Amino acid sequence: MNNLSSNQNLRVRILFGCGGTGGHIFPAIALAQEFKKLGNEVMFIGNRGGMEEHIVQEEGFPFRAIKVQKLYRKFNPANLLFPFRLVSSLLESKKIMKDFKPDAVICTGGFVSGPVGLASIIMKIPLYLHESNSYPGLTTKFLAPHSRITFTVYDKTKSFLKKSRVQKVGVPLAEKKEKATLSSLTEIGLNPEKKVILVTGGSQGSQAINSVIEKTLPQIIKRDWQLIWQTGKQGYSNYANKFSNLSGVYIFDFSPLLSSFYRFATLAITRAGAITIAELEANAVPAILIPLPTAAENHQFYNAREQEKKGVAILLPQAELNTQTLLNSMDKILNNYDFYKNNLESLPPNTAKQDIIQAILKDLGKE
Ligand SMILES: CC(=O)N[C@H]1[C@@H](OP(=O)(O)OP(=O)(O)OC[C@H]2O[C@@H](n3ccc(=O)[nH]c3=O)[C@H](O)[C@@H]2O)O[C@H](CO)[C@@H](O)[C@@H]1O
């Protein structure tokens, strides 16, 4: 057998099911990029109208939309539609699988993972899961007993997935599209000589963080610090109207350039989403983490607590968040900057993508 035909035998077709928030979509994008580089074929299923629809297609991957109904944890009239939508989205997923004929299905969370994972179980297609959070989401808990491997990030997660084969790997980080020219802060109107505070509320932005940043802005400017500020879509035009012409402030709703901004950040003020935390580590950026209090089972708090224990971040609960506590936390990091930087730089490298792909190919007998 020549090399080409033997490689063709090793190629696999991978179908991803993910959606809802960037935190569920980007780990799948990361794996898809890597699988594709190795010559494999990939496809995505996501919710029609969900943020995955444009993110996945912007990344150049084939995308098929299904219509899914989220099952809310608390009573919500929309839950009445759930059984009907589950059946129809399951049939839609099965149809896509019959056409695409995947060797494996990978679900990285979000309610769209439910019907996609379920269809793969019914069709006996090997299912793999990735859970970025310390406390697993509903779909992960439901699907995990049927997955070949459930990949996790935190030690604690295993205790919630007792009937599953679990492998701890970390968060696969996507290669974000870079504007090749963003090589200096001057390109976004900032001064490379001055300190830069990066504010990001995760893929959807954070109103609580935005509001305290607005109040703290005069002090930030007085101290001659600069601000790269992601507001999220909600409230963006209001903040942009007020502050986009202010010297030392670069404001945006959502940007594919976030990875560039990490590179220029002296410190960051963020929620405690799993992907944001992994990106902060990869870019060695000390952070003030303000966990989203309504996150399922308070998982962002536990994420942030782990980071504080490692000496790479400060946990600032939202209930204590105000201009003074924020400025105190910034000062604490800036006054002990070497401590935080050294701890970040001593972390082991993130090899989650490679580890997951190796484990899946081995499990499929394609190594
Ligand atoms: C509200 C909510 O349920 N949040 C959850 C969601 O967070 P969320 O979707 O906000 O995810 P993360 O904060 O973990 O990551 C945000 C992602 O969006 C990207 N980004 C953000 C802003 C921007 O302008 N450009 C950009 O590309 C970041 O680089 C990152 O890759 O999923 C995470 C992983 O399951 C969970 O830990 C969070 O608790």
Side-chain angles (χ1 to χ4, degrees):
M1 204 188 293
N2 65 31
N3 271 345
L4 185 65
S5 56
S6 73
N7 282 343
Q8 276 169 346
N9 283 341
L10 288 175
R11 281 194 193 148
V12 291
R13 296 156 83 86
I14 305 284
L15 181 68
F16 290 92
C18 62
T21 71
H24 294 308
I25 302 162
F26 288 116
I29 300 262
L31 293 173
Q33 288 171 338
E34 209 65 17
F35 268 114
K36 204 172 161 191
K37 267 192 217 158
L38 297 171
N40 302 297
E41 215 178 313
V42 297
M43 182 187 266
F44 280 74
I45 297 184
N47 197 15
R48 187 166 296 123
M51 71 188 293
E52 58 272 24
E53 195 162 16
H54 80 266
I55 293 182
V56 168
Q57 293 185 86
E58 234 167 57
E59 292 291 331
F61 295 117
F63 179 86
R64 298 280 298 272
I66 60 174
K67 191 68 202 158
V68 189
Q69 172 64 52
K70 180 175 178 172
L71 179 63
Y72 294 92
R73 286 168 193 259
K74 294 196 179 134
F75 176 77
N76 186 314
N79 280 352
L80 298 172
L81 271 179
F82 179 78
F84 305 101
R85 281 273 161 77
L86 179 64
V87 173
S88 66
S89 56
L90 188 60
L91 294 175
E92 285 181 290
S93 303
K94 281 178 71 180
K95 165 92 181 56
I96 295 168
M97 288 179 199
K98 273 186 192 144
D99 293 345
F100 183 60
K101 298 185 180 53
D103 296 287
V105 170
I106 304 178
C107 291
T108 53
F111 50 94
V112 76
S113 292
V116 176
L118 202 53
S120 78
I121 295 165
I122 294 168
M123 294 179 73
K124 299 199 171 17
I125 300 166
L127 171 66
Y128 301 89
L129 304 175
H130 182 274
E131 175 57 63
S132 295
N133 292 304
S134 46
Y135 188 82
L138 271 183
T139 40
T140 304
K141 276 199 276 185
F142 170 70
L143 295 170
H146 308 280
S147 78
R148 298 271 281 254
I149 309 173
T150 300
F151 298 101
T152 58
V153 177
Y154 294 90
D155 288 322
K156 197 171 166 241
T157 317
K158 199 175 174 172
S159 62
F160 304 111
L161 303 170
K162 289 208 173 91
K163 290 185 197 146
S164 326
R165 179 176 161 201
V166 170
Q167 184 177 336
K168 187 183 152 196
V169 288
V171 177
L173 289 179
E175 286 164 24
K176 303 268 176 72
K177 275 192 192 140
E178 290 280 303
K179 194 166 81 182
T181 49
L182 195 70
S183 52
S184 160
L185 282 173
T186 51
E187 287 163 36
I188 53 169
L190 300 185
N191 181 345
E193 305 297 321
K194 294 184 184 173
K195 290 191 173 57
V196 173
I197 317 291
L198 171 66
V199 176
T200 163
S203 54
Q204 292 162 55
S206 158
Q207 295 317 302
I209 295 180
N210 289 343
S211 155
V212 77
I213 290 296
E214 179 172 14
K215 290 185 194 124
T216 313
L217 200 53
Q219 309 276 1
I220 290 175
I221 290 173
K222 204 167 143 197
R223 292 175 184 216
D224 214 14
W225 297 337
Q226 302 178 101
L227 196 63
I228 297 182
W229 179 8
Q230 182 233 345
T231 61
K233 300 233 182 291
Q234 203 188 335
Y236 167 71
S237 51
N238 170 36
Y239 292 115
N241 283 341
K242 286 190 197 162
F243 305 118
S244 58
N245 290 327
L246 207 61
S247 162
V249 176
Y250 178 74
I251 190 164
F252 61 100
D253 55 354
F254 183 88
S255 166
L257 292 177
L258 202 68
S259 40
S260 288
F261 300 153
Y262 284 120
R263 282 208 301 277
F264 297 118
T266 313
L267 67 83
I269 299 168
T270 74
R271 284 294 191 199
I275 321 302
T276 298
I277 286 178
E279 290 168 348
L280 290 165
E281 285 190 352
N283 290 282
V285 184
I288 298 160
L289 300 175
I290 303 155
L292 175 74
T294 54
E297 310 293 331
N298 210 12
H299 69 255
Q300 288 204 359
F301 171 82
Y302 297 104
N303 292 352
R305 201 170 64 172
E306 289 304 304
Q307 297 310 100
E308 191 171 59
K309 271 194 218 153
K310 288 189 217 167
V312 298
I314 290 176
L315 191 177
L316 179 54
Q318 188 166 310
E320 293 166 26
L321 178 63
N322 58 48
T323 290
Q324 203 46 54
T325 53
L326 191 63
L327 287 171
N328 290 347
S329 303
M330 287 194 240
D331 285 338
K332 188 173 168 193
I333 290 182
L334 293 172
N335 294 336
N336 301 284
Y337 203 62
D338 288 349
F339 167 80
Y340 288 99
K341 276 301 239 194
N342 288 342
N343 290 339
L344 281 157
E345 279 155 11
S346 316
L347 293 173
N350 182 330
T351 56
K353 281 191 284 206
Q354 294 76 7
D355 296 344
I356 293 171
I357 290 177
Q358 202 182 23
I360 292 179
L361 292 180
K362 188 170 175 206
D363 191 59
L364 291 172
K366 300 278 186 183
E367 213 183 27

